[in-house]
Structures are given as C-alpha cells and as structure tokens.
Amino acid sequence: CTACATRPFTIHINPVADFSVEEFLCEGDPFSPTNNSIGGQNFNWDFGDGNGSTQQNPTHVFNTTGSFTIALEVISPEGCSQNTSREVTVIAAPVADFELPLDEGCEPFDLQLINLSSGYEPEYIWVIGGDSIYMDHPGSIELSAGETDSIYTIQLIALNACGQDQAEQNIQVFPLPAAEFGLSEPSGCSPFEVFFSNTSTGNPEVFFWDFGNGNQSNLSNPPAQIYTVDSTYVDYTIELIVENHCGIDTHQREIRVFPPDVTAFIEMPLNQACAPHLFQPASFSTPGAHLNWEVIFDNEVIAGSSERFPEFLLEQAGDYTIVLKASNCGSHADTTFFRLLEAPDVDFDFRRDNCSGDQVIFQNLTTNGSSPLWDFGDGMQSNQTSPVHVYDEVGSYPVRLLMLHP
C-alpha cells in the first residue's frame, strides 16, 4: 500500500541591484549615487571609507582622496538579495605653487619659473604683466623695466574639475640707464651762456659731464657754462655719461657759438664785363653770418640772394651797385660796383663769289666796337678795320670778326 503527502512552496525572484555614480568625485563635495535597483525594499550601502547608509538614495562626502569601492546590497520584501559595486576615485582641488630662481635683476631680465603645483591633472594659467600664458612650464620670458624700477606680479592659477588655487610672487626689474639732456639754446653769440636740463632715465647713480670747453662736472644738474670765440664760429660737443649698477649710456649734443661781431666782405671776379654777363661774386664774410645780397640798378633792387656764392644774370648795360649785408651777433655791410658794357654790334660784308687770286674786300659794318681781329679761315688774320685778302686755294672759308668794346 502507498501513501502521499503534498506541501506547497514559492520561489521568489531576486531583486536587481544597480546604481550609477561619477567615476571621479571631489574631496569634500557631497554626492548622491543614482539608485537604479529593481524589486528592492531594503538597501545597504557601503562607501568603502568605513561609512554606510540604509537609505534608498543616500548622500555622502569623501573627506580623503584615493580610490574607493562603493557596494550596494538590495533586499526584496521576500528577503531575497543581490549585491553590486562600483570603483570611484576621489580627487582634490589643485594646490598652486611655484619657485623663482631669481626675484630681481637688471633688464632685460630673464624670468625663469619652476612650477611646483600639485593636484590631479590640473590646467595652468600664468598671468605676467597683464599677459596670460596657458601652459605648464612657460620657459624663459624676457622682462623690461622702462624708465624706473618695475615690479611685476607673477600669478599662477591651477585648476581642475574640483576647483582652483592661485599663488603670487613679485619680481623687481631694474632699468638700464638712458642718458638725455636739454639745452637752453642750441646756438648763440659769444659770450654764450648755456643752461642744461638733465632728463636721463633709468635711475642713474653716476653722472659725468664734458662741456667741450675744458670744464667737467659730476653733478646731476650742473651749473651753466660760458662759451667764447673770437673771429669765427665754433661748434662745441657736450657729452653726458650716466651709469647705474645695470650699465652705462652716453648722449652728445652740439652747440654753435658765433663771434660777437661780423664783417661783410665781397670778392669780385671782375669789375666790368660785356652784356649779357653771368655775374658771380663771392662772400668771405665772418663764417656763420647770415648773408643778404642786393643787386641795385637805377636805384632799384633787381636781384638778391642769401648764398655765399650767388649768380646773377645781368643783361642791361650800365652801372650796378652790389651790396652784401652780414648779420648775426651784430651786422655789417660791404658795397662794391660793377659796370656792364654794351656789347659791340658786329657786322661785316664782302662779295660772295670770288676767283682764285682775286682781292677780296671785307667791309667792317660794326658799331660800338674797336680793336678788330679778322680770321679769314685759311690760317691768316688781320687787325685792319676793313682789310683786303687774297685766297690762293679754291674752297669755302669761314670768316670771323672779333670786336672789343671801345
């Protein structure tokens, strides 16, 4: 004989444990993993740092950096469970830091930067003199100073996904000296007093003046100097040398000193000539004087010039007055006279057709002329007024007559 017993039982489905979280988390920042579990009633979280939670959607803060395993156990109402886990890395905001091998020096200053910053994959921004440089190590940078000592603020900004930090240090750059000075006047009459204005830049510490007149000075702002000359102008070179611990520089300027009086002097190449004539007088007046020529005819100024060697084309016969005025430190005038003679009106006539051996009669028709000189074109000449000439050879001959003013 047989017997049978029946007992019912149920197998329940397991819950699905699942959550999502950022791979990288920031130290000190709260975060909430996203619970994607299915069929769970109770939840046990283990954040891997000794802390846990039973909330379905907890919030947690990691207070140290490193790698952590976040584990989640999901329990269904029937007591079934499933586990899952995720690896996360906790990072911190970077710490900006840098070193300056030199924090002062002369221009051009070679700035070297050593980046000592720390942190997870930071990006860097260097701010130097208003310019931004986006790189870890910017290399050598040249800094200038300008006219005085310059202070540059070097700023390093380090940043990543968790924040940023910055560090600052100062650099002092000393300028090179630049010599420069002004003069009260660049030229003048003897005795000529000159005042000086020292406008040198770059914080010079040492000064040396050479005034070109035998005097020197080591003062920043030296006393005025007196310059004297006698009969001709003199150019004096004034030199200023400045120096500081960064270098040395030199600047020079010239002044021109004129004699206290001037003399006008005309040199005449000729006293008279025939019209038309290119008249070319010369000035040997005091060097450096301002010149003013006047050519006067019939009491009227017909030409002028300020050149030392002028040229005047004179065409009308008569007497000319030549005046040269020289001025600078005082004034003086020289006057001379020039006569322009009326040129002879040369003309002559003769029979055009002649035979070999004929006597050719040349008739002088010149007016306002004297001292005739004939050239018959065959090598023969005559100074008779109206000569007779015999040609021995057949041909054509150019005949020329030269007459002088009476």
Side-chain angles (χ1 to χ4, degrees), residues 77-246:
E78 294 78 18
C80 301
S81 65
Q82 190 180 56
N83 296 286
T84 188
S85 62
R86 298 281 187 276
E87 291 287 334
V88 297
T89 300
V90 178
I91 61 177
V95 176
D97 188 22
F98 65 95
E99 179 182 321
L100 296 173
L102 292 174
D103 60 5
E104 65 177 21
C106 297
E107 68 170 338
F109 182 79
D110 185 18
L111 175 64
Q112 300 288 337
L113 301 167
I114 301 175
N115 192 343
L116 302 176
S117 303
S118 60
Y120 182 83
E121 296 184 355
E123 296 179 355
Y124 298 102
I125 304 173
W126 296 88
V127 182
I128 304 171
D131 296 326
S132 298
I133 302 173
Y134 296 84
M135 59 177 60
D136 297 359
H137 304 282
S140 178
I141 299 172
E142 187 176 287
L143 300 180
S144 60
E147 296 184 352
T148 59
D149 296 351
S150 298
I151 296 179
Y152 287 85
T153 297
I154 312 300
Q155 184 182 62
L156 172 60
I157 302 172
L159 63 161
N160 63 12
C162 292
Q164 70 178 46
D165 188 31
Q166 68 181 42
E168 290 184 358
Q169 295 190 55
N170 290 331
I171 288 283
Q172 187 169 14
V173 182
F174 306 110
L176 293 169
E180 188 175 9
F181 62 91
L183 303 170
S184 55
E185 289 185 84
S187 62
C189 300
S190 176
F192 181 40
E193 185 176 23
V194 181
F195 296 87
F196 306 93
S197 175
N198 188 348
T199 56
S200 301
T201 57
N203 297 336
E205 301 161 351
V206 178
F207 303 89
F208 176 77
W209 295 84
D210 186 339
F211 301 107
N213 61 352
N215 295 334
Q216 298 174 341
S217 175
N218 293 318
L219 298 176
S220 173
N221 293 295
Q225 297 291 307
I226 303 294
Y227 296 84
T228 58
V229 297
D230 294 326
S231 59
T232 185
Y233 72 83
V234 176
D235 290 329
Y236 291 90
T237 298
I238 301 166
E239 182 179 55
L240 170 61
I241 302 173
V242 297
E243 184 178 358
N244 64 15
H245 67 283
C246 289

Side-chain angles (χ1 to χ4, degrees), residues 37-93:
S37 302
I38 301 174
Q41 184 179 48
N42 298 311
F43 304 92
N44 295 316
W45 295 87
D46 184 349
F47 295 106
D49 61 350
N51 296 303
S53 175
T54 58
Q55 296 179 5
Q56 183 176 353
N57 295 292
T59 297
H60 185 63
V61 175
F62 285 109
N63 293 315
T64 58
T65 59
S67 296
F68 298 89
T69 299
I70 301 176
L72 170 62
E73 180 187 22
V74 180
I75 303 172
S76 68
E78 294 78 18
C80 301
S81 65
Q82 190 180 56
N83 296 286
T84 188
S85 62
R86 298 281 187 276
E87 291 287 334
V88 297
T89 300
V90 178
I91 61 177

Side-chain angles (χ1 to χ4, degrees), residues 25-42:
L25 301 172
C26 295
E27 178 186 13
D29 287 355
F31 73 96
S32 297
T34 302
N35 193 341
N36 301 317
S37 302
I38 301 174
Q41 184 179 48
N42 298 311

Side-chain angles (χ1 to χ4, degrees), residues 292-323:
N292 181 32
W293 292 88
E294 292 181 350
V295 179
I296 303 172
F297 184 74
D298 282 346
N299 296 319
E300 181 182 350
V301 178
I302 63 170
S305 175
S306 60
E307 301 294 327
R308 183 183 175 192
F309 303 103
E311 294 183 345
F312 306 105
L313 180 61
L314 306 181
E315 299 180 296
Q316 188 172 353
D319 293 326
Y320 291 81
T321 301
I322 311 300
V323 178

